Amino acid sequence: MLAERRQQLILSIVRSDGPVSITTLVNRLGQSAATIRRDLIALDEEGLLKRVYGGAAPLPDERDEPFAQVADVHVPEKRAVAAACAELVRDGQTVLLDIGTTAHQVASLLHGRQITVVTTNMAVFDELRDDDAVELVVLGGVHRRQYRSLVGFLAEDALRQVRADVLVLGTSGIAPDGSVMDTTIVEVPIKRAMIAASERVILAADASKFPGSGVARVCEASALDVVVTGADADPTSCAALEAAGVDVRRVPVPAPSTPSRLTAV
């Protein structure tokens, strides 16, 4: 196994399962203890994880949040953004859905559509698994349980075989220059592979993501075709996107009369 792929798998395991021993990594990856130790040293030096006695742990300041923790945040706006994204999908198309709760919201609005959905989002899988109208394709990879996503070289390799009409992309934040950022390095190669596999890229991001930041740049603004966000999205970031030729669509967010909640599955 190539060192880059092996280290990506180690990051996936550590960020999904928390502190892990060298013995566990040896058993799961089928590599020698010496090889795993070298990988942990390299990943620690790059600032991607923390080496501890006998193994490794996620960084203490990891800003990535589990799926269930963010499922109830900004729900009305996410729902409005998702509805606008779903309206851009045409029957007969192949649609890539990224990870995250907004993509899950989009999936919930695609029931009964004659489309093909390709995803690494296990919440999307659960949402559409029993819908006979939707052809559902789940990419392989390492399961990040708390984040309900699949990552790693298996997912990347599968994406090279896919051609999608539309991608609904998520993000941790939009930089002031319009760049798409992410706080979770292990997800970035998957997002880039999704962009490369798609004819049209739609970024779904509520106004809280504008402006935003992240440790890794997913793509420049020019890689996007459409951005769907809330009416209160930061004007400077939106202007940078529009200057790059992106169609920025601001959707109004209705004020719910009762608390709105999407149950995390």
Side-chain angles (χ1 to χ4, degrees), residues 5 96 118-120 137-141 150-164 189-190 193-194 197:
R5 290 181 173 179
L96 266 170
V118 184
T119 190
T120 56
V137 179
V138 180
L139 301 170
L150 299 170
V151 297
F153 73 91
L154 292 175
E156 291 178 59
D157 285 351
L159 280 164
R160 295 188 185 99
Q161 313 304 318
V162 171
R163 196 64 193 166
I190 306 298
M194 285 184 168

Side-chain angles (χ1 to χ4, degrees), residues 13 38 44-45 81 86-88 92-93 112 115 136 146 153 165 172 191 217 228 236-238:
I13 293 168
R38 286 195 296 270
D44 180 85
E45 290 177 346
V81 168
E87 289 177 358
L88 296 174
Q93 288 189 325
I115 57 175
L136 183 58
Q146 294 186 51
F153 73 91
D165 298 294
S172 298
K191 291 177 181 288
R217 189 184 306 274
V228 181
T236 300
S237 301
C238 289

Side-chain angles (χ1 to χ4, degrees), residues 19-230:
V20 63
S21 69
I22 290 175
T23 300
T24 297
L25 293 172
V26 166
N27 292 335
R28 292 184 64 172
L29 301 181
Q31 303 293 314
S32 70
T35 297
I36 296 298
R37 287 191 185 92
R38 286 195 296 270
D39 287 335
L40 295 182
I41 291 171
L43 291 168
D44 180 85
E45 290 177 346
E46 291 179 40
L48 300 178
L49 54 67
K50 178 179 177 60
R51 287 178 66 214
V52 298
Y53 181 77
L59 295 176
D61 61 346
E62 186 75 48
R63 289 173 291 172
D64 197 14
E65 297 178 280
F67 186 96
Q69 188 174 337
V70 299
D72 297 324
V73 178
H74 306 297
V75 174
E77 185 173 358
K78 287 180 181 178
R79 190 71 174 177
V81 168
C85 291
E87 289 177 358
L88 296 174
V89 175
R90 301 288 175 260
D91 285 349
Q93 288 189 325
T94 296
V95 184
L96 266 170
L97 291 182
D98 194 11
I99 68 164
T101 58
T102 303
H104 179 209
Q105 290 272 18
V106 174
S108 73
L109 298 170
L110 295 177
H111 281 292
R113 301 286 299 274
Q114 298 293 326
I115 57 175
T116 298
V117 171
V118 184
T119 190
T120 56
N121 189 328
M122 298 308 293
V124 168
F125 168 73
D126 285 338
E127 181 71 39
L128 298 175
R129 64 191 302 175
D130 297 322
D131 192 320
D132 292 336
V134 177
E135 186 76 18
L136 183 58
V137 179
V138 180
L139 301 170
V142 178
H143 186 205
R144 302 179 73 221
R145 293 177 182 84
Q146 294 186 51
Y147 306 89
R148 310 223 62 198
S149 67
L150 299 170
V151 297
F153 73 91
L154 292 175
E156 291 178 59
D157 285 351
L159 280 164
R160 295 188 185 99
Q161 313 304 318
V162 171
R163 196 64 193 166
D165 298 294
V166 179
L167 163 64
V168 179
L169 182 70
T171 180
S172 298
I174 309 298
D177 66 356
S179 299
V180 179
M181 308 299 293
D182 206 274
T183 60
T184 312
I185 292 174
V186 73
E187 297 284 358
V188 172
I190 306 298
K191 291 177 181 288
R192 289 176 177 169
M194 285 184 168
I195 292 169
S198 303
E199 294 289 342
R200 191 181 193 203
V201 180
I202 301 169
L203 181 71
D206 61 74
S208 69
K209 306 292 180 66
F210 290 77
S213 60
V215 297
R217 189 184 306 274
V218 176
C219 66
E220 305 293 337
S222 58
L224 307 174
D225 296 293
V226 180
V227 170
V228 181
T229 187

